[in-house]
Amino acid sequence: MDSGTRWRFEWNEAKATLRVIAWLLLAVLLSTYSGREDALRQIQKTGVLRAAMVNDPTSYYLGPAGYTGFDYDLANDFADYLGVSLDIVLVDTPEDALTEVLSGNAQMAAISMPVTAERAQAMRFSRPLRYRTPELVRKMGNPEAEDLEALESPIIVPGGSAHATWLEQLEAEIPSLKWDTRTDAEPEALLREVANGELDLTVAGSDLVAITRRYYPRLAVVRQLGAPRPLAWALAPEQGDSLYHELSHYLRLLGKKELQRLRDRYFGHIERLDYVDAVTLATHFETRLPRYREKFEQAAKENGIDWRLLAAVGYQESHWDNSAVSPTGVRGIMQITQQTARFLNISDRTDPSEAIAGAARYLRSLHGRLPESIQEPDRSWFMLAAYNIGLGHVLDARRLTERMGDDPDRWVDVRQHLPLLTQPRHYKQLRYGYARGPEAVHYVGHVRTYFDMLVWLTSREEEAPVPVDPRPREMRPPKGENPLAIEQPLL
């Protein structure tokens, strides 16, 4: 190791030590303040749970049907469990959230953040809510990024973040590694810079990388930096044990299945489209969709469906090509069979107006014919599966799921058993017999991905950014609202 590299390595170690000392000093100073009230008692007295959160696509953001996100939904549910309202303290970074908690301005940092050794010395973390793998990311066609020992340009990560901690650990493995931090930089912004060729390399969590690659398909993962890391919420140690114990009890009551269901809602459908697929969709959004957009919008409005969901189904079926004909004889932009056309009174399934309107009515019908016990958003995923392989097969898959001891109302459970409809020992015991179950699983995942991409593409058409919802909890969209904007009981 030359003197320059040694100096840099020692300086990074010193910075890490100074950060630990700063966190611990703040925690000790606050813990000695006798006027600090027990967090749970404070929440019960005011009737408000104050949670620090970050506005990003993995935690809290504005979706098609209002404010949503993995941590947002979970924090809302925890507030319901406590019998109080949720008040969001919006911050820019996880580090800012920890500061808000340590200062007493928030009772917890409701952000699924990596549990680093440095943070664990100053904070008290919940049980892991999910896991994230650090990934080194470059732009496709950048050969320099392949050899980490011979980098000419440094890897850039947000300053004071877990990303810097990950690179410090990698530097121990590769002493010649070049990297640097950027103050006030956000991981998503750095990924965009890499995709646009403005930056060579960055490090981000696998969940954010997967989401961002749908919109910037030229991003490529060079390598994973170790094993998946646990993500959890943080509380201040000096707030007392009561809130921590209530959160722990709530998470135990919620159980692995409900957490899995929530994770599936936000991350289970992140399909890794390749570069060609993603660019093709973006191109067709500009060249093909304009011919049919008004028809999608009108049909969706008449049937209480988000038009982008209807368009996503159309894209999965035909790539918005009205001349498409499948090997099995289905035709047109929505690939409607002759039998379905007769059921929907469609005289010409190659007429885009008739086909799109008929598909919207069919989706609405399927949504309404599902058992009432299936709630959103699972109800919409079941609806999409039924559109693909038929309602009877979906109901069979629910029966099979229940026989195997899982919940037939949860898409994440039924999705695991749908592939069994191809096995004689299972489908011969069911009413509707054989079905291409694996195809339905992929179908739903693809439509959900296309829907997300269309939401992102259409949001770019709006010049003004949408502000974070400042309203108190009781004035925000109700928790559990259909994310696909089906607003009423159907049929």
Side-chain angles (χ1 to χ4, degrees), residues 57-335:
T58 65
S59 183
Y60 168 55
Y61 60 94
L62 181 65
Y67 289 86
T68 187
F70 176 85
D71 293 305
Y72 177 72
D73 277 7
L74 197 60
N76 261 325
D77 200 52
F78 181 51
D80 284 346
Y81 166 80
L82 295 176
V84 299
S85 297
L86 177 67
D87 185 22
I88 295 172
V89 179
L90 192 64
V91 296
D92 293 328
T93 67
E95 286 66 36
D96 292 338
L98 297 179
T99 300
E100 292 292 327
V101 175
L102 287 172
S103 68
N105 193 40
Q107 286 105 7
M108 66 180 186
I111 305 169
S112 297
M113 67 177 73
V115 183
T116 64
E118 175 184 323
R119 290 170 175 171
Q121 292 184 62
M123 307 300 297
R124 195 171 191 179
F125 282 92
S126 71
R127 57 173 283 190
L129 303 176
R130 54 191 186 90
Y131 290 82
R132 170 187 295 157
T133 303
E135 293 181 335
L136 181 63
V137 182
R138 66 177 174 88
K139 183 180 179 181
M140 284 185 180
N142 181 359
E144 177 190 338
E146 298 293 344
D147 186 359
L148 299 183
E149 296 184 1
L151 292 177
E152 295 184 9
S153 301
I155 304 167
I156 302 297
V157 296
S161 65
H163 305 70
T165 302
W166 296 334
L167 282 179
E168 287 169 359
Q169 295 169 354
L170 182 62
E171 191 173 36
E173 175 187 334
I174 307 175
S176 62
L177 185 72
K178 292 183 179 180
W179 66 277
D180 206 346
T181 61
R182 186 186 297 174
T183 305
D184 299 327
E186 298 178 357
E188 189 176 9
L190 293 178
L191 285 172
R192 286 197 298 268
E193 289 187 31
V194 170
N196 293 330
E198 301 164 8
L199 189 66
D200 287 328
L201 289 161
T202 191
V203 172
S206 51
D207 51 355
L208 183 61
V209 173
I211 291 171
T212 309
R213 286 181 69 184
R214 295 181 302 185
Y215 316 130
Y216 297 98
R218 291 194 66 87
L219 290 174
V221 176
V222 178
R223 60 173 287 186
Q224 295 182 336
L225 305 182
R229 314 295 172 89
L231 307 181
W233 287 354
L235 298 85
E238 69 278 3
Q239 290 178 325
D241 294 335
S242 53
L243 180 60
Y244 177 80
H245 290 321
E246 284 291 343
L247 177 58
S248 299
H249 183 60
Y250 161 75
L251 291 174
R252 283 196 300 271
L253 289 176
L254 195 66
K256 291 182 179 180
K257 283 196 172 183
E258 284 306 312
L259 271 177
Q260 184 184 12
R261 182 178 186 175
L262 190 60
R263 287 192 292 264
D264 175 73
R265 174 176 181 177
Y266 290 102
F267 309 110
H269 67 292
I270 300 176
E271 299 290 330
R272 296 235 174 180
L273 304 181
D274 62 26
Y275 172 72
V276 174
D277 287 339
V279 170
T280 300
L281 184 144
T283 301
H284 289 166
F285 178 82
E286 298 290 342
T287 59
R288 293 184 180 181
L289 181 59
R291 283 176 270 171
Y292 308 112
R293 179 165 174 169
E294 187 176 344
K295 296 178 175 61
F296 282 121
E297 290 176 343
Q298 182 62 33
K301 181 179 180 180
E302 292 173 354
N303 291 276
I305 303 172
D306 190 311
W307 77 266
R308 293 164 295 192
L309 171 67
L310 186 60
V313 172
Y315 190 78
Q316 170 65 21
E317 294 290 347
S318 69
H319 281 204
W320 301 321
D321 178 6
N322 193 51
S323 63
V325 181
S326 80
T328 58
V330 292
R331 296 175 176 273
I333 191 169
M334 303 305 290
Q335 294 288 278

